[in-house]
C-alpha cells in the first residue's frame, strides 16, 4: 500500500473524482469541485493510483502550515473503493507531511478511528426508500402541527430559489455565528452556482404574501441529499415554514434509494428538529494532531 503526498497541481482530478464517486463512503465534501471552491488551498494523500485518497485542505499563518476543516464541510477524511481498515487509517495519518504542524480534520463515518486526541461528533440521516405516507408516520406531533400551521397560514413553497437569497436570509437569522465568515459565504455562493450547472443543487423556499420567509439549500450527490444551509425569519419561526420545507423535500426525494443527510449536529436545538422527522443518529470522528512549537502548542490546546 503505497501512499504518496501530492501537491495540488499534481493531482489528477479525473481519477480523484472517480475514486470518490465509486466509493461507498464517497461524500460531496471530498470531490474536487467542492474542495476547489471551499478550501483556501488543498493538497492530498493518494494510495495506489487513487484507490484511496485523503484531501489536505490547508492554510498558512505566521509561516506555519496547518490542515483545517473548510467551512460547510462536515466530513472529509479517507475515501476508498475498498474497505478502510484501522491499518489504512493509521498509514494515512502517519503520512501527513511534517510541514503541517497542526492538523484538525473531520474524518467520515467510514473511518472508524479512536485516539486520545479524537472527538466523536454526531450526524443524523433519514433513508428515503419508503413511500411518503410511510415516512410521514414517523413524523412527530410537533412536526405535523407546524406543517399544518404553515399550510393554514397560506405559506407557499417554490423550488429553484436563488441560492444567494437563501444565504442572505440565513446570515440575517444567525448573524454569522455558525463558524463562517464573509469569505466563506462568498465561496459557498460560488459553489452553489457551479453545482447548479451540474444539477447537483436543490433549493426550496417558503413564501408568505410573495415574501421569502424561509429557504433551504441541499447538495445532491449520488443518492445523498445533504441539508447544507437553512435560513428563516421571525415570522417563519412562528408559523412553521421550515417544517413545511422539510416536508416538501422529503416528499420530493422519497420512494427512491436516497438518503437525506441532515449534516449534524451537536446542538440540541438542531437535533430536536432533525429527530422530528425520524432521523437516525450516526457518528464520525474529529482528529487533532498538534506539533506546533511552544508556546503555540499550549495555545491550541
Amino acid at each position: 500500500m503505497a501512499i504518496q503526498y501530492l501537491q495540488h497541481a499534481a493531482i489528477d482530478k479525473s481519477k480523484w473524482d472517480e475514486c470518490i464517486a465509486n466509493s461507498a463512503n464517497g461524500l460531496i465534501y471530498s470531490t474536487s469541485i467542492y474542495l476547489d471552491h471551499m478550501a483556501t488551498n488543498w493538497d492530498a494523500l493518494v494510495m495506489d493510483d487513487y484507490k484511496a485518497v485523503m484531501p489536505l485542505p490547508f492554510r498558512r499563518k505566521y509561516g506555519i502550515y496547518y490542515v483545517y476543516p473548510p467551512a460547510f464541510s462536515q466530513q472529509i477524511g479517507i475515501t476508498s473503493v475498498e474497505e478502510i481498515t484501522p491499518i489504512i487509517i493509521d498509514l494515512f495519518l502517519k503520512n501527513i507531511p511534517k510541514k503541517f504542524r497542526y492538523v484538525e480534520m473531520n474524518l467520515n463515518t467510514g473511518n472508524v478511528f479512536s485516539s486520545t486526541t479524537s472527538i466523536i461528533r454526531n450526524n443524523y440521516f433519514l433513508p428515503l426508500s419508503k413511500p411518503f405516507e410511510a415516512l410521514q408516520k414517523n413524523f412527530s406531533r410537533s412536526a405535523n402541527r407546524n406543517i399544518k400551521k404553515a399550510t393554514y397560514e397560506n405559506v407557499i413553497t417554490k423550488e429553484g430559489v436563488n441560492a444567494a437569497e437563501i444565504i442572505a436570509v440565513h446570515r440575517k437569522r444567525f448573524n454569522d455565528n455558525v463558524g463562517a465568515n464573509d469569505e466563506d459565504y462568498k465561496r459557498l455562493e460560488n459553489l452553489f452556482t457551479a453545482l447548479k450547472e451540474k444539477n447537483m443543487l436543490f433549493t426550496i423556499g417558503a413564501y408568505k404574501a410573495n415574501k421569502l420567509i424561509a429557504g433551504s439549500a441541499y447538495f445532491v450527490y449520488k443518492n445523498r441529499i445533504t441539508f447544507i444551509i437553512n435560513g428563516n425569519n421571525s415570522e417563519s419561526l412562528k408559523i412553521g415554514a421550515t417544517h413545511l420545507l422539510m416536508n416538501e423535500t422529503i416528499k420530493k426525494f422519497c420512494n427512491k434509494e436516497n438518503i437525506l443527510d441532515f449534516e449534524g449536529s451537536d446542538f440540541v436545538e438542531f437535533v430536536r428538529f432533525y429527530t422530528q422527522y425520524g432521523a437516525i443518529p450516526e457518528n464520525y470522528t474529529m482528529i487533532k494532531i498538534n506539533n506546533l512549537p511552544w508556546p503555540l502548542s499550549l495555545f491550541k490546546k
Side-chain angles (χ1 to χ4, degrees), residues 139-198:
F139 290 7
S140 70
R141 281 185 289 182
S142 176
N144 285 318
R145 184 171 59 251
N146 278 286
I147 293 166
K148 289 180 181 178
K149 184 187 300 182
T151 304
Y152 177 79
E153 293 287 342
N154 296 315
V155 175
I156 303 299
T157 63
K158 296 180 183 178
E159 298 180 10
V161 179
N162 188 315
E165 293 183 56
I166 296 175
I167 290 175
V169 175
H170 167 87
R171 294 188 71 176
K172 188 174 182 179
R173 165 78 169 86
F174 292 103
N175 297 315
D176 291 2
N177 290 325
V178 293
N181 56 34
D182 191 56
E183 180 185 351
D184 295 326
Y185 284 109
K186 289 178 181 177
R187 288 180 177 275
L188 183 65
E189 187 173 340
N190 290 334
L191 174 63
F192 282 163
T193 300
L195 293 179
K196 183 179 179 181
E197 293 176 356
K198 296 180 177 291

Side-chain angles (χ1 to χ4, degrees), residues 231-243:
N232 47 32
N233 62 18
S234 56
E235 183 179 12
S236 167
L237 294 172
K238 293 177 182 177
I239 61 177
T242 299
H243 289 82

Side-chain angles (χ1 to χ4, degrees), residues 152-293:
Y152 177 79
E153 293 287 342
N154 296 315
V155 175
I156 303 299
T157 63
K158 296 180 183 178
E159 298 180 10
V161 179
N162 188 315
E165 293 183 56
I166 296 175
I167 290 175
V169 175
H170 167 87
R171 294 188 71 176
K172 188 174 182 179
R173 165 78 169 86
F174 292 103
N175 297 315
D176 291 2
N177 290 325
V178 293
N181 56 34
D182 191 56
E183 180 185 351
D184 295 326
Y185 284 109
K186 289 178 181 177
R187 288 180 177 275
L188 183 65
E189 187 173 340
N190 290 334
L191 174 63
F192 282 163
T193 300
L195 293 179
K196 183 179 179 181
E197 293 176 356
K198 296 180 177 291
N199 294 318
M200 295 171 62
L201 180 71
F202 172 69
T203 59
I204 185 169
Y207 293 81
K208 180 77 184 292
N210 295 318
K211 177 185 177 182
L212 181 68
I213 61 173
S216 303
Y218 296 79
F219 296 137
V220 181
Y221 181 65
K222 297 194 287 188
N223 70 328
R224 205 168 189 96
I225 319 300
T226 303
F227 186 31
I228 188 66
I229 194 173
N230 181 73
N232 47 32
N233 62 18
S234 56
E235 183 179 12
S236 167
L237 294 172
K238 293 177 182 177
I239 61 177
T242 299
H243 289 82
L244 181 62
L245 290 180
M246 184 59 67
N247 181 75
E248 296 305 304
T249 300
I250 292 173
K251 189 181 296 183
K252 178 181 179 65
F253 290 101
C254 71
N255 214 19
K256 298 176 183 177
E257 293 302 320
N258 289 324
I259 294 172
L260 177 56
D261 186 340
F262 287 93
E263 219 213 19
S265 167
D266 294 322
F267 293 103
V268 175
E269 296 84 357
F270 294 159
V271 172
R272 188 181 299 118
F273 178 75
Y274 305 149
T275 53
Q276 286 183 39
Y277 298 92
I280 303 169
E282 64 179 357
N283 300 126
Y284 62 97
T285 304
M286 183 183 78
I287 61 166
K288 292 184 179 183
I289 302 173
N290 189 346
N291 292 317
L292 289 167

Side-chain angles (χ1 to χ4, degrees), residues 19 31 52-53 60 63 71 74 76 107 110 128 132 136 139 141-142 149 152 181 187 206 240 250 283 301:
C19 174
T31 61
V53 299
R60 184 183 181 188
Q74 186 201 54
I76 295 184
L107 302 180
L128 298 177
F132 178 73
Q136 192 178 35
F139 290 7
R141 281 185 289 182
S142 176
K149 184 187 300 182
Y152 177 79
N181 56 34
R187 288 180 177 275
I250 292 173
N283 300 126
K301 285 183 180 178

Side-chain angles (χ1 to χ4, degrees), residues 86-104:
I87 293 176
I88 290 176
I89 297 173
D90 189 57
L91 280 174
F92 267 94
L93 296 181
K94 286 181 177 178
N95 274 275
I96 296 175
K98 299 299 182 184
K99 78 171 185 178
F100 297 114
R101 304 296 297 272
Y102 184 81
V103 176
E104 183 175 319

